[in-house]
Amino acid sequence: MISLLVSLFLLQSPILADAQKMAELRDKIAVKIVEVDVELPPLEGTDQSFGRTMQGQAACVRDAKGTARMLTSKFLVEGARKVRIRNKNHLKWVDAKVVSTNEKLAIAFLEPKEDKPFPCPESKLAPDSSVRAYTVVISIDNPATYPNLFWGQLVSTAEPPLSAFLLTATGLPIGYPLYSLEGKLIAINLRRYTPTSEFLLAIS
């Protein structure tokens, strides 16, 4: 009986049913993700010589003007005194800067500080029809070095006044891109929904 249930689960899960396809999907997505390392100022009342660090990710997209940008969560880079980026095609960390932020959508756009090539394959956007509850989404941890694939779902839209945002159940909280089974960008995780929630707040 247990083996039958496992078989049925695997049949319903396109990611787990075929290890080779899972590995191909992981590698296809990993090259599109930028790792982001952020240094934050020390907390008030602590030793000011020691900063705090936070890690997240960004995805290369084209903005409304057609310019290639690295899209991430505003909560990842907010107040940062240093931002570094790297990816599978450029393993050496390089300094980056925040080009712009959108407070309403809680997103930020990054680019390298120096005018040097930083290869970043563009993430094509998934169609609006795929942004719905129970859609399977993929996130990748350690994309530049030892990529691991995680999968979960879009859960629902958030409650007002955050109904323009999604609730998700995969990836890490801050700045993790979520992709479809076709390798297209569906959303970006912004932060945890509430400090104790198991769900993550994302923007499509």
Side-chain angles (χ1 to χ4, degrees), residues 27-62:
D27 295 340
K28 177 182 178 180
I29 295 173
V31 297
K32 301 177 182 180
I33 297 174
V34 177
E35 291 186 6
V36 183
D37 183 77
V38 177
E39 183 180 319
L40 298 166
L43 293 171
E44 190 174 340
T46 64
D47 187 335
Q48 295 300 294
S49 61
F50 293 99
R52 298 170 291 143
T53 60
M54 191 173 353
Q55 287 75 42
Q57 295 180 353
C60 290
V61 298
R62 295 200 176 271

PDB file of all heavy atoms in Angstrom, residues 27-62:
ATOM      1  N   ASP A  27      19.886  22.910 -13.469  1.00  0.00           N
ATOM      2  CA  ASP A  27      21.013  23.548 -14.150  1.00  0.00           C
ATOM      3  C   ASP A  27      20.553  24.676 -15.075  1.00  0.00           C
ATOM      4  O   ASP A  27      21.241  25.689 -15.224  1.00  0.00           O
ATOM      5  CB  ASP A  27      21.805  22.505 -14.938  1.00  0.00           C
ATOM      6  CG  ASP A  27      22.463  21.475 -14.027  1.00  0.00           C
ATOM      7  OD1 ASP A  27      22.635  21.766 -12.823  1.00  0.00           O
ATOM      8  OD2 ASP A  27      22.806  20.385 -14.511  1.00  0.00           O
ATOM      9  N   LYS A  28      19.391  24.503 -15.679  1.00  0.00           N
ATOM     10  CA  LYS A  28      18.840  25.530 -16.565  1.00  0.00           C
ATOM     11  C   LYS A  28      18.531  26.811 -15.796  1.00  0.00           C
ATOM     12  O   LYS A  28      18.781  27.924 -16.269  1.00  0.00           O
ATOM     13  CB  LYS A  28      17.572  24.989 -17.228  1.00  0.00           C
ATOM     14  CG  LYS A  28      16.845  25.985 -18.122  1.00  0.00           C
ATOM     15  CD  LYS A  28      15.580  25.357 -18.698  1.00  0.00           C
ATOM     16  CE  LYS A  28      14.810  26.350 -19.570  1.00  0.00           C
ATOM     17  NZ  LYS A  28      13.569  25.733 -20.120  1.00  0.00           N
ATOM     18  N   ILE A  29      18.004  26.645 -14.583  1.00  0.00           N
ATOM     19  CA  ILE A  29      17.638  27.806 -13.773  1.00  0.00           C
ATOM     20  C   ILE A  29      18.848  28.402 -13.072  1.00  0.00           C
ATOM     21  O   ILE A  29      18.980  29.627 -12.961  1.00  0.00           O
ATOM     22  CB  ILE A  29      16.553  27.410 -12.739  1.00  0.00           C
ATOM     23  CG1 ILE A  29      15.268  27.010 -13.463  1.00  0.00           C
ATOM     24  CG2 ILE A  29      16.292  28.548 -11.762  1.00  0.00           C
ATOM     25  CD1 ILE A  29      14.201  26.455 -12.547  1.00  0.00           C
ATOM     26  N   ALA A  30      19.764  27.557 -12.604  1.00  0.00           N
ATOM     27  CA  ALA A  30      20.897  28.029 -11.788  1.00  0.00           C
ATOM     28  C   ALA A  30      21.724  29.100 -12.493  1.00  0.00           C
ATOM     29  O   ALA A  30      22.191  30.049 -11.862  1.00  0.00           O
ATOM     30  CB  ALA A  30      21.780  26.853 -11.386  1.00  0.00           C
ATOM     31  N   VAL A  31      21.906  28.976 -13.809  1.00  0.00           N
ATOM     32  CA  VAL A  31      22.744  29.945 -14.532  1.00  0.00           C
ATOM     33  C   VAL A  31      22.081  31.319 -14.642  1.00  0.00           C
ATOM     34  O   VAL A  31      22.734  32.303 -14.973  1.00  0.00           O
ATOM     35  CB  VAL A  31      23.104  29.439 -15.950  1.00  0.00           C
ATOM     36  CG1 VAL A  31      23.925  28.168 -15.873  1.00  0.00           C
ATOM     37  CG2 VAL A  31      21.854  29.222 -16.798  1.00  0.00           C
ATOM     38  N   LYS A  32      20.781  31.388 -14.350  1.00  0.00           N
ATOM     39  CA  LYS A  32      20.058  32.654 -14.471  1.00  0.00           C
ATOM     40  C   LYS A  32      20.009  33.434 -13.154  1.00  0.00           C
ATOM     41  O   LYS A  32      19.487  34.541 -13.119  1.00  0.00           O
ATOM     42  CB  LYS A  32      18.623  32.388 -14.945  1.00  0.00           C
ATOM     43  CG  LYS A  32      18.539  31.677 -16.289  1.00  0.00           C
ATOM     44  CD  LYS A  32      17.101  31.384 -16.649  1.00  0.00           C
ATOM     45  CE  LYS A  32      17.003  30.636 -17.974  1.00  0.00           C
ATOM     46  NZ  LYS A  32      15.608  30.339 -18.334  1.00  0.00           N
ATOM     47  N   ILE A  33      20.535  32.838 -12.100  1.00  0.00           N
ATOM     48  CA  ILE A  33      20.399  33.442 -10.771  1.00  0.00           C
ATOM     49  C   ILE A  33      21.701  34.097 -10.335  1.00  0.00           C
ATOM     50  O   ILE A  33      22.782  33.546 -10.524  1.00  0.00           O
ATOM     51  CB  ILE A  33      19.978  32.367  -9.742  1.00  0.00           C
ATOM     52  CG1 ILE A  33      18.602  31.795 -10.115  1.00  0.00           C
ATOM     53  CG2 ILE A  33      19.941  32.955  -8.335  1.00  0.00           C
ATOM     54  CD1 ILE A  33      18.171  30.635  -9.252  1.00  0.00           C
ATOM     55  N   VAL A  34      21.578  35.259  -9.745  1.00  0.00           N
ATOM     56  CA  VAL A  34      22.723  35.995  -9.200  1.00  0.00           C
ATOM     57  C   VAL A  34      22.689  35.871  -7.680  1.00  0.00           C
ATOM     58  O   VAL A  34      21.656  36.124  -7.053  1.00  0.00           O
ATOM     59  CB  VAL A  34      22.654  37.480  -9.596  1.00  0.00           C
ATOM     60  CG1 VAL A  34      23.797  38.267  -8.963  1.00  0.00           C
ATOM     61  CG2 VAL A  34      22.678  37.627 -11.114  1.00  0.00           C
ATOM     62  N   GLU A  35      23.806  35.452  -7.097  1.00  0.00           N
ATOM     63  CA  GLU A  35      23.905  35.442  -5.635  1.00  0.00           C
ATOM     64  C   GLU A  35      24.243  36.860  -5.166  1.00  0.00           C
ATOM     65  O   GLU A  35      25.061  37.551  -5.771  1.00  0.00           O
ATOM     66  CB  GLU A  35      24.980  34.463  -5.168  1.00  0.00           C
ATOM     67  CG  GLU A  35      24.605  33.013  -5.404  1.00  0.00           C
ATOM     68  CD  GLU A  35      25.619  32.042  -4.809  1.00  0.00           C
ATOM     69  OE1 GLU A  35      26.557  32.501  -4.114  1.00  0.00           O
ATOM     70  OE2 GLU A  35      25.480  30.839  -5.045  1.00  0.00           O
ATOM     71  N   VAL A  36      23.607  37.278  -4.091  1.00  0.00           N
ATOM     72  CA  VAL A  36      23.796  38.627  -3.552  1.00  0.00           C
ATOM     73  C   VAL A  36      24.252  38.527  -2.104  1.00  0.00           C
ATOM     74  O   VAL A  36      23.623  37.859  -1.288  1.00  0.00           O
ATOM     75  CB  VAL A  36      22.485  39.447  -3.633  1.00  0.00           C
ATOM     76  CG1 VAL A  36      22.723  40.879  -3.137  1.00  0.00           C
ATOM     77  CG2 VAL A  36      21.924  39.455  -5.053  1.00  0.00           C
ATOM     78  N   ASP A  37      25.372  39.186  -1.809  1.00  0.00           N
ATOM     79  CA  ASP A  37      25.915  39.214  -0.452  1.00  0.00           C
ATOM     80  C   ASP A  37      25.878  40.666   0.025  1.00  0.00           C
ATOM     81  O   ASP A  37      26.413  41.554  -0.651  1.00  0.00           O
ATOM     82  CB  ASP A  37      27.351  38.682  -0.449  1.00  0.00           C
ATOM     83  CG  ASP A  37      27.933  38.627   0.946  1.00  0.00           C
ATOM     84  OD1 ASP A  37      27.583  37.698   1.691  1.00  0.00           O
ATOM     85  OD2 ASP A  37      28.748  39.508   1.286  1.00  0.00           O
ATOM     86  N   VAL A  38      25.243  40.908   1.159  1.00  0.00           N
ATOM     87  CA  VAL A  38      25.003  42.269   1.634  1.00  0.00           C
ATOM     88  C   VAL A  38      25.642  42.472   3.003  1.00  0.00           C
ATOM     89  O   VAL A  38      25.501  41.626   3.893  1.00  0.00           O
ATOM     90  CB  VAL A  38      23.482  42.542   1.720  1.00  0.00           C
ATOM     91  CG1 VAL A  38      23.210  43.933   2.282  1.00  0.00           C
ATOM     92  CG2 VAL A  38      22.827  42.371   0.363  1.00  0.00           C
ATOM     93  N   GLU A  39      26.349  43.587   3.138  1.00  0.00           N
ATOM     94  CA  GLU A  39      26.887  43.975   4.439  1.00  0.00           C
ATOM     95  C   GLU A  39      26.049  45.122   4.976  1.00  0.00           C
ATOM     96  O   GLU A  39      25.875  46.151   4.320  1.00  0.00           O
ATOM     97  CB  GLU A  39      28.347  44.416   4.311  1.00  0.00           C
ATOM     98  CG  GLU A  39      28.990  44.763   5.651  1.00  0.00           C
ATOM     99  CD  GLU A  39      30.439  45.198   5.503  1.00  0.00           C
ATOM    100  OE1 GLU A  39      31.162  44.576   4.692  1.00  0.00           O
ATOM    101  OE2 GLU A  39      30.834  46.158   6.188  1.00  0.00           O
ATOM    102  N   LEU A  40      25.522  44.937   6.193  1.00  0.00           N
ATOM    103  CA  LEU A  40      24.659  45.923   6.823  1.00  0.00           C
ATOM    104  C   LEU A  40      25.383  46.599   7.978  1.00  0.00           C
ATOM    105  O   LEU A  40      26.306  46.022   8.563  1.00  0.00           O
ATOM    106  CB  LEU A  40      23.383  45.251   7.340  1.00  0.00           C
ATOM    107  CG  LEU A  40      22.501  44.584   6.276  1.00  0.00           C
ATOM    108  CD1 LEU A  40      21.484  43.675   6.945  1.00  0.00           C
ATOM    109  CD2 LEU A  40      21.802  45.644   5.438  1.00  0.00           C
ATOM    110  N   PRO A  41      24.985  47.814   8.341  1.00  0.00           N
ATOM    111  CA  PRO A  41      25.602  48.489   9.493  1.00  0.00           C
ATOM    112  C   PRO A  41      25.347  47.695  10.772  1.00  0.00           C
ATOM    113  O   PRO A  41      24.349  46.969  10.880  1.00  0.00           O
ATOM    114  CB  PRO A  41      24.892  49.843   9.538  1.00  0.00           C
ATOM    115  CG  PRO A  41      24.269  50.017   8.191  1.00  0.00           C
ATOM    116  CD  PRO A  41      23.972  48.647   7.693  1.00  0.00           C
ATOM    117  N   PRO A  42      26.224  47.823  11.764  1.00  0.00           N
ATOM    118  CA  PRO A  42      26.001  47.147  13.051  1.00  0.00           C
ATOM    119  C   PRO A  42      24.721  47.658  13.710  1.00  0.00           C
ATOM    120  O   PRO A  42      24.286  48.790  13.466  1.00  0.00           O
ATOM    121  CB  PRO A  42      27.231  47.536  13.883  1.00  0.00           C
ATOM    122  CG  PRO A  42      28.236  48.013  12.898  1.00  0.00           C
ATOM    123  CD  PRO A  42      27.466  48.589  11.747  1.00  0.00           C
ATOM    124  N   LEU A  43      24.113  46.824  14.531  1.00  0.00           N
ATOM    125  CA  LEU A  43      22.943  47.249  15.287  1.00  0.00           C
ATOM    126  C   LEU A  43      23.352  48.301  16.309  1.00  0.00           C
ATOM    127  O   LEU A  43      24.482  48.285  16.826  1.00  0.00           O
ATOM    128  CB  LEU A  43      22.300  46.056  15.992  1.00  0.00           C
ATOM    129  CG  LEU A  43      21.651  45.004  15.078  1.00  0.00           C
ATOM    130  CD1 LEU A  43      21.253  43.777  15.896  1.00  0.00           C
ATOM    131  CD2 LEU A  43      20.437  45.581  14.364  1.00  0.00           C
ATOM    132  N   GLU A  44      22.449  49.210  16.595  1.00  0.00           N
ATOM    133  CA  GLU A  44      22.735  50.256  17.575  1.00  0.00           C
ATOM    134  C   GLU A  44      23.036  49.619  18.936  1.00  0.00           C
ATOM    135  O   GLU A  44      22.342  48.692  19.376  1.00  0.00           O
ATOM    136  CB  GLU A  44      21.526  51.185  17.681  1.00  0.00           C
ATOM    137  CG  GLU A  44      21.802  52.437  18.499  1.00  0.00           C
ATOM    138  CD  GLU A  44      20.633  53.404  18.476  1.00  0.00           C
ATOM    139  OE1 GLU A  44      19.797  53.304  17.550  1.00  0.00           O
ATOM    140  OE2 GLU A  44      20.565  54.236  19.375  1.00  0.00           O
ATOM    141  N   GLY A  45      24.088  50.113  19.558  1.00  0.00           N
ATOM    142  CA  GLY A  45      24.462  49.599  20.873  1.00  0.00           C
ATOM    143  C   GLY A  45      25.419  48.428  20.826  1.00  0.00           C
ATOM    144  O   GLY A  45      25.789  47.882  21.861  1.00  0.00           O
ATOM    145  N   THR A  46      25.822  48.021  19.610  1.00  0.00           N
ATOM    146  CA  THR A  46      26.781  46.925  19.470  1.00  0.00           C
ATOM    147  C   THR A  46      28.113  47.480  18.992  1.00  0.00           C
ATOM    148  O   THR A  46      28.222  48.657  18.652  1.00  0.00           O
ATOM    149  CB  THR A  46      26.282  45.855  18.478  1.00  0.00           C
ATOM    150  OG1 THR A  46      26.169  46.447  17.171  1.00  0.00           O
ATOM    151  CG2 THR A  46      24.919  45.315  18.897  1.00  0.00           C
ATOM    152  N   ASP A  47      29.129  46.633  18.960  1.00  0.00           N
ATOM    153  CA  ASP A  47      30.455  47.039  18.497  1.00  0.00           C
ATOM    154  C   ASP A  47      30.354  47.538  17.055  1.00  0.00           C
ATOM    155  O   ASP A  47      30.007  46.780  16.140  1.00  0.00           O
ATOM    156  CB  ASP A  47      31.402  45.845  18.594  1.00  0.00           C
ATOM    157  CG  ASP A  47      32.851  46.215  18.293  1.00  0.00           C
ATOM    158  OD1 ASP A  47      33.072  47.212  17.580  1.00  0.00           O
ATOM    159  OD2 ASP A  47      33.755  45.515  18.767  1.00  0.00           O
ATOM    160  N   GLN A  48      30.659  48.794  16.819  1.00  0.00           N
ATOM    161  CA  GLN A  48      30.480  49.411  15.512  1.00  0.00           C
ATOM    162  C   GLN A  48      31.519  48.971  14.477  1.00  0.00           C
ATOM    163  O   GLN A  48      31.422  49.329  13.304  1.00  0.00           O
ATOM    164  CB  GLN A  48      30.490  50.928  15.646  1.00  0.00           C
ATOM    165  CG  GLN A  48      29.312  51.474  16.454  1.00  0.00           C
ATOM    166  CD  GLN A  48      27.970  51.112  15.821  1.00  0.00           C
ATOM    167  OE1 GLN A  48      27.656  51.568  14.739  1.00  0.00           O
ATOM    168  NE2 GLN A  48      27.183  50.291  16.507  1.00  0.00           N
ATOM    169  N   SER A  49      32.506  48.216  14.907  1.00  0.00           N
ATOM    170  CA  SER A  49      33.505  47.739  13.944  1.00  0.00           C
ATOM    171  C   SER A  49      33.055  46.447  13.248  1.00  0.00           C
ATOM    172  O   SER A  49      33.704  45.982  12.328  1.00  0.00           O
ATOM    173  CB  SER A  49      34.850  47.503  14.642  1.00  0.00           C
ATOM    174  OG  SER A  49      34.720  46.519  15.656  1.00  0.00           O
ATOM    175  N   PHE A  50      31.962  45.873  13.719  1.00  0.00           N
ATOM    176  CA  PHE A  50      31.473  44.624  13.130  1.00  0.00           C
ATOM    177  C   PHE A  50      30.118  44.858  12.468  1.00  0.00           C
ATOM    178  O   PHE A  50      29.150  45.234  13.132  1.00  0.00           O
ATOM    179  CB  PHE A  50      31.338  43.531  14.194  1.00  0.00           C
ATOM    180  CG  PHE A  50      32.656  43.084  14.757  1.00  0.00           C
ATOM    181  CD1 PHE A  50      33.104  43.587  15.969  1.00  0.00           C
ATOM    182  CD2 PHE A  50      33.452  42.190  14.070  1.00  0.00           C
ATOM    183  CE1 PHE A  50      34.323  43.176  16.490  1.00  0.00           C
ATOM    184  CE2 PHE A  50      34.674  41.787  14.579  1.00  0.00           C
ATOM    185  CZ  PHE A  50      35.114  42.284  15.794  1.00  0.00           C
ATOM    186  N   GLY A  51      30.078  44.660  11.153  1.00  0.00           N
ATOM    187  CA  GLY A  51      28.820  44.771  10.433  1.00  0.00           C
ATOM    188  C   GLY A  51      28.068  43.450  10.452  1.00  0.00           C
ATOM    189  O   GLY A  51      28.565  42.427  10.924  1.00  0.00           O
ATOM    190  N   ARG A  52      26.867  43.495   9.945  1.00  0.00           N
ATOM    191  CA  ARG A  52      26.056  42.279   9.797  1.00  0.00           C
ATOM    192  C   ARG A  52      26.017  41.899   8.321  1.00  0.00           C
ATOM    193  O   ARG A  52      26.155  42.755   7.460  1.00  0.00           O
ATOM    194  CB  ARG A  52      24.629  42.521  10.291  1.00  0.00           C
ATOM    195  CG  ARG A  52      24.526  42.884  11.760  1.00  0.00           C
ATOM    196  CD  ARG A  52      23.106  43.340  12.097  1.00  0.00           C
ATOM    197  NE  ARG A  52      22.814  44.631  11.478  1.00  0.00           N
ATOM    198  CZ  ARG A  52      21.624  44.969  10.975  1.00  0.00           C
ATOM    199  NH1 ARG A  52      20.634  44.092  10.967  1.00  0.00           N
ATOM    200  NH2 ARG A  52      21.427  46.155  10.449  1.00  0.00           N
ATOM    201  N   THR A  53      25.830  40.641   8.048  1.00  0.00           N
ATOM    202  CA  THR A  53      25.740  40.200   6.656  1.00  0.00           C
ATOM    203  C   THR A  53      24.413  39.491   6.411  1.00  0.00           C
ATOM    204  O   THR A  53      23.806  38.939   7.337  1.00  0.00           O
ATOM    205  CB  THR A  53      26.893  39.257   6.268  1.00  0.00           C
ATOM    206  OG1 THR A  53      26.846  38.102   7.110  1.00  0.00           O
ATOM    207  CG2 THR A  53      28.231  39.946   6.408  1.00  0.00           C
ATOM    208  N   MET A  54      23.976  39.534   5.167  1.00  0.00           N
ATOM    209  CA  MET A  54      22.777  38.839   4.757  1.00  0.00           C
ATOM    210  C   MET A  54      22.989  38.353   3.333  1.00  0.00           C
ATOM    211  O   MET A  54      23.661  39.008   2.549  1.00  0.00           O
ATOM    212  CB  MET A  54      21.573  39.782   4.836  1.00  0.00           C
ATOM    213  CG  MET A  54      20.269  39.057   4.671  1.00  0.00           C
ATOM    214  SD  MET A  54      18.740  40.052   4.945  1.00  0.00           S
ATOM    215  CE  MET A  54      19.283  41.614   5.537  1.00  0.00           C
ATOM    216  N   GLN A  55      22.427  37.206   3.020  1.00  0.00           N
ATOM    217  CA  GLN A  55      22.563  36.653   1.677  1.00  0.00           C
ATOM    218  C   GLN A  55      21.185  36.497   1.034  1.00  0.00           C
ATOM    219  O   GLN A  55      20.197  36.222   1.709  1.00  0.00           O
ATOM    220  CB  GLN A  55      23.270  35.291   1.701  1.00  0.00           C
ATOM    221  CG  GLN A  55      24.751  35.368   1.973  1.00  0.00           C
ATOM    222  CD  GLN A  55      25.078  35.661   3.427  1.00  0.00           C
ATOM    223  OE1 GLN A  55      24.451  35.117   4.332  1.00  0.00           O
ATOM    224  NE2 GLN A  55      26.050  36.528   3.655  1.00  0.00           N
ATOM    225  N   GLY A  56      21.168  36.683  -0.259  1.00  0.00           N
ATOM    226  CA  GLY A  56      19.941  36.498  -1.010  1.00  0.00           C
ATOM    227  C   GLY A  56      20.274  36.261  -2.471  1.00  0.00           C
ATOM    228  O   GLY A  56      21.395  35.862  -2.812  1.00  0.00           O
ATOM    229  N   GLN A  57      19.321  36.528  -3.335  1.00  0.00           N
ATOM    230  CA  GLN A  57      19.521  36.295  -4.760  1.00  0.00           C
ATOM    231  C   GLN A  57      18.851  37.389  -5.573  1.00  0.00           C
ATOM    232  O   GLN A  57      18.052  38.172  -5.056  1.00  0.00           O
ATOM    233  CB  GLN A  57      18.940  34.931  -5.168  1.00  0.00           C
ATOM    234  CG  GLN A  57      19.624  33.740  -4.536  1.00  0.00           C
ATOM    235  CD  GLN A  57      18.998  32.431  -4.974  1.00  0.00           C
ATOM    236  OE1 GLN A  57      17.971  32.391  -5.658  1.00  0.00           O
ATOM    237  NE2 GLN A  57      19.618  31.335  -4.565  1.00  0.00           N
ATOM    238  N   ALA A  58      19.173  37.410  -6.850  1.00  0.00           N
ATOM    239  CA  ALA A  58      18.527  38.311  -7.810  1.00  0.00           C
ATOM    240  C   ALA A  58      18.354  37.548  -9.118  1.00  0.00           C
ATOM    241  O   ALA A  58      19.018  36.533  -9.359  1.00  0.00           O
ATOM    242  CB  ALA A  58      19.370  39.568  -8.032  1.00  0.00           C
ATOM    243  N   ALA A  59      17.470  38.057  -9.955  1.00  0.00           N
ATOM    244  CA  ALA A  59      17.261  37.480 -11.289  1.00  0.00           C
ATOM    245  C   ALA A  59      17.466  38.573 -12.323  1.00  0.00           C
ATOM    246  O   ALA A  59      17.069  39.721 -12.122  1.00  0.00           O
ATOM    247  CB  ALA A  59      15.848  36.910 -11.407  1.00  0.00           C
ATOM    248  N   CYS A  60      18.110  38.236 -13.436  1.00  0.00           N
ATOM    249  CA  CYS A  60      18.327  39.201 -14.510  1.00  0.00           C
ATOM    250  C   CYS A  60      17.074  39.302 -15.371  1.00  0.00           C
ATOM    251  O   CYS A  60      16.602  38.305 -15.922  1.00  0.00           O
ATOM    252  CB  CYS A  60      19.515  38.772 -15.362  1.00  0.00           C
ATOM    253  SG  CYS A  60      21.077  38.930 -14.498  1.00  0.00           S
ATOM    254  N   VAL A  61      16.540  40.511 -15.454  1.00  0.00           N
ATOM    255  CA  VAL A  61      15.339  40.769 -16.254  1.00  0.00           C
ATOM    256  C   VAL A  61      15.554  42.060 -17.039  1.00  0.00           C
ATOM    257  O   VAL A  61      16.559  42.743 -16.863  1.00  0.00           O
ATOM    258  CB  VAL A  61      14.082  40.904 -15.359  1.00  0.00           C
ATOM    259  CG1 VAL A  61      13.813  39.619 -14.604  1.00  0.00           C
ATOM    260  CG2 VAL A  61      14.247  42.070 -14.382  1.00  0.00           C
ATOM    261  N   ARG A  62      14.605  42.412 -17.867  1.00  0.00           N
ATOM    262  CA  ARG A  62      14.648  43.692 -18.573  1.00  0.00           C
ATOM    263  C   ARG A  62      13.560  44.589 -17.996  1.00  0.00           C
ATOM    264  O   ARG A  62      12.421  44.165 -17.832  1.00  0.00           O
ATOM    265  CB  ARG A  62      14.463  43.501 -20.079  1.00  0.00           C
ATOM    266  CG  ARG A  62      15.609  42.736 -20.691  1.00  0.00           C
ATOM    267  CD  ARG A  62      15.728  42.918 -22.187  1.00  0.00           C
ATOM    268  NE  ARG A  62      16.914  42.206 -22.663  1.00  0.00           N
ATOM    269  CZ  ARG A  62      18.125  42.743 -22.719  1.00  0.00           C
ATOM    270  NH1 ARG A  62      18.299  43.996 -22.363  1.00  0.00           N
ATOM    271  NH2 ARG A  62      19.157  42.045 -23.156  1.00  0.00           N
TER     272      ARG A  62
END
